[in-house]
Amino acid sequence: MIPLSSIQRTAEELMAKAAIEIPEDYLDGLRRCADTEKGDLSAFVIKAMLENYEAAKQDRRAMCGDTGLPRWYVKIGNDARIEGGPVALEAALRRATARSTNSVPLRPNRVHPIWRTDHNNNVGINAPEIEYAFHPDTDWVELTTVHKGGLFGTDYRMLFPGDGIEGIKRFYLDTLVGFGKRGLACQPAIVGIGLGGSKDTSMVLGKQASCLRVVGSRNPDPRIAALEEEFKELGNSIGMGAMGFVGSSMVIDCHIEVGYCHTGGMPMSVHMFCLSSRRACARVAASGKATFRTDPMWFTDYMRRETVEWGRQTAEAAE
């Protein structure tokens, strides 16, 4: 039985880590940009960003004044037992969000869409978002919090099979240019692309691809992995660098996730996880012990399965 107190304590610590400690994989990618950036203003911004991240960590303060919209991704082992059950788990995550808004502190960004009611704790109707996944043959719970900007940096288009790879590239580049020219994203960013599924699935996959995969990771399908590499280079060839200034550092990395879709269409979404790439993850064991890391390891073989039943032999036979 996983103690509820362990879940809430871990969740509160994750909220602080996400707001303050930028993941090392993103920092490594940003340092590589600093080494190659030729644009003067873009290079200046990248240097200032790196200094800001270090200062935030030393002072234990949120690294950006806009702390985004905190959200949760929860992966539950098939054999896990949680004190109080899933309803108690959700209550613990909402409490952790509210308490951390005051203690970190985070900017209270959540308001009612019409009445603008603000409880000053980032909690409200359908807030924070909590998304779930499951894993076979395990008894732990994994918590990942992501503090993602909630205004811009996302776009969607219904493409068609005839558009092919070239149509995917065209929408990708149109989106990046539009975001850069209009100041709708803070670069350098991790770009996530959701291909396929229904419209809502495409949006979910793209956001997860941007927020829940580490810089340098590649899709296990070698053809998609090759597209990820190509799209990263394409994104950095349009002449925009950090924060939209002239340069070559718009994309830290590009991640693509797919879902089977209606035969007549090809939904596509593009998401940018901005220079405040705020995520933190922990696995809480049945004993209540938490192990922290920055890689959510969200997209497992189980998550990407194609077969009806799960099992490596079944999956291999399907191929």
Side-chain angles (χ1 to χ4, degrees):
M1 182 78 71
I2 302 174
L4 197 62
S5 59
S6 296
I7 288 177
Q8 182 165 333
R9 182 173 59 251
T10 302
E12 290 182 21
E13 190 167 348
L14 286 172
M15 290 288 281
K17 283 180 174 292
I20 296 169
E21 302 174 16
I22 299 301
E24 198 62 32
D25 60 280
Y26 178 84
L27 285 176
D28 287 343
L30 192 60
R31 292 181 187 115
R32 287 192 290 271
C33 287
D35 291 338
T36 59
E37 181 56 77
K38 298 296 192 297
D40 292 341
L41 285 175
S42 181
F44 174 81
V45 169
I46 294 173
K47 181 175 181 293
M49 288 162 54
L50 289 168
E51 292 173 352
N52 178 66
Y53 294 151
E54 187 60 33
K57 192 172 181 179
Q58 289 180 6
D59 295 346
R60 303 307 298 169
R61 296 184 181 184
M63 53 70 52
C64 182
D66 181 355
T67 53
L69 298 180
R71 60 191 299 123
W72 293 96
Y73 295 91
V74 181
K75 186 173 288 187
I76 302 176
N78 191 53
D79 303 321
R81 295 179 61 207
I82 302 165
E83 180 186 0
V87 171
L89 167 68
E90 286 205 341
L93 296 181
R94 290 170 75 88
R95 279 195 301 272
T97 302
R99 293 179 56 159
S100 298
T101 299
N102 179 63
S103 63
V104 173
L106 306 176
R107 194 169 80 177
N109 280 334
R110 299 280 193 172
V111 300
H112 189 284
I114 302 175
W115 320 131
R116 315 312 285 179
T117 307
D118 185 351
H119 298 308
N120 292 314
N121 60 8
N122 281 308
V123 174
I125 302 171
N126 288 316
E129 297 87 351
I130 305 175
E131 295 184 33
Y132 293 94
F134 304 94
H135 199 74
D137 305 321
T138 53
D139 62 357
W140 41 250
V141 169
E142 289 186 340
L143 306 175
T144 300
T145 186
V146 170
H147 298 180
K148 190 180 187 303
L151 289 176
F152 306 108
T154 297
D155 206 354
Y156 168 86
R157 184 175 294 176
M158 174 59 80
L159 301 175
F160 296 95
D163 291 320
I165 299 297
E166 292 306 311
I168 294 171
K169 291 179 183 178
R170 187 179 306 113
F171 177 47
Y172 169 72
L173 289 175
D174 286 349
T175 303
L176 263 58
V177 170
F179 286 171
K181 284 186 174 181
R182 298 166 62 198
L184 300 185
C186 299
Q187 305 92 231
I190 302 173
V191 180
I193 295 175
L195 279 177
S198 55
K199 178 177 181 178
D200 55 331
T201 304
S202 172
M203 294 292 286
V204 167
L205 284 174
K207 182 168 286 188
Q208 291 177 352
S210 65
C211 298
L212 299 179
R213 282 179 50 188
V214 297
V215 173
S217 66
R218 287 292 167 260
N219 191 291
D221 184 328
R223 294 165 297 181
I224 295 178
L227 280 179
E228 292 176 331
E229 289 284 355
E230 182 180 357
F231 279 27
K232 177 184 175 182
E233 293 182 12
L234 276 175
N236 289 327
S237 68
I238 61 178
M240 293 185 188
M243 299 302 288
F245 291 114
V246 173
S248 57
S249 304
M250 191 166 197
V251 180
I252 289 285
D253 208 352
C254 181
H255 302 149
I256 302 174
E257 292 296 331
V258 304
Y260 275 33
C261 61
H262 189 285
T263 184
M266 188 168 61
M268 177 177 173
S269 68
V270 179
H271 303 253
M272 300 189 78
F273 195 18
C274 71
L275 57 87
S276 309
S277 294
R278 296 163 293 206
R279 59 171 144 79
C281 179
R283 176 178 294 179
V284 185
S287 65
K289 180 181 178 182
T291 304
F292 292 86
R293 62 177 192 267
T294 56
D295 183 354
M297 295 190 287
W298 183 259
F299 288 101
T300 60
D301 292 341
Y302 177 74
M303 291 283 286
R304 293 185 174 117
R305 67 194 184 281
E306 291 189 54
T307 56
V308 174
E309 304 294 337
W310 169 246
R312 289 190 178 276
Q313 291 182 343
T314 306
E316 291 168 0
E319 295 176 358

